Amino acid sequence: EFLLLALADTRQLQLLHFWLLLGIYLAALLGNGLISTAVACDHRLHTPMYFFLLNLALLDLSCISTTLPKAMANALWHTRHISYAGCAAQVFFLLFLLSAETFLLTIMSYDRYVAICKPLHYGTLMNSRTSNTLWYD
């Protein structure tokens, strides 16, 4: 087991940190959930740019869900322990998801490059087949 550094020593500050982290977590859930719902429900948003935006929102939800719940639980229950397996899992998932976000942002920048520099060819260069190939290969 590992001992985590406490954010605060007093119970009032720990509760303040819990409520602050809960607010950040709920704001991220709400914002990314709204983006995901809007892109999934509106057929006009089924374009490569919004496909990548949907994936970015889902990756952001996954990233914030790897570490924040444990930090909130530690602040609420006044604990500082994390198991070796739990720490390794958090590090693995966080690094994997952050790498996927970086890769997705690179793909999104290429999409915008094609849209700005080659606007007349954008429809043929960035169709749904190309965006799926960029993302899944």
Side-chain angles (χ1 to χ4, degrees), residues 16 33 51 55 60 63 68 79 82 84 87 96 99 110-111 126 129 136:
L16 176 67
F51 171 75
N55 284 302
D60 189 41
C63 263
L68 220 52
T79 60
I82 186 169
Y84 179 76
C87 181
F96 174 75
S99 299
Y110 175 73
D111 175 62
M126 291 300 293
R129 182 175 175 211
Y136 294 115

Side-chain angles (χ1 to χ4, degrees), residues 38-76:
V39 172
C41 293
D42 192 352
H43 66 83
R44 292 173 294 170
L45 300 180
H46 292 180
T47 62
M49 182 180 71
Y50 290 106
F51 171 75
F52 294 137
L53 189 63
L54 171 68
N55 284 302
L56 188 65
L58 294 176
L59 279 173
D60 189 41
L61 277 175
S62 302
C63 263
I64 201 165
S65 295
T66 57
T67 55
L68 220 52
K70 179 65 177 168
M72 290 184 333
N74 287 346
L76 184 62

Side-chain angles (χ1 to χ4, degrees), residues 106-128:
T106 304
I107 293 172
M108 289 175 77
S109 67
Y110 175 73
D111 175 62
R112 293 295 85 203
Y113 164 77
V114 172
I116 293 168
C117 295
K118 300 179 182 187
L120 298 177
H121 298 287
Y122 181 76
T124 57
L125 290 175
M126 291 300 293
N127 55 25
S128 61

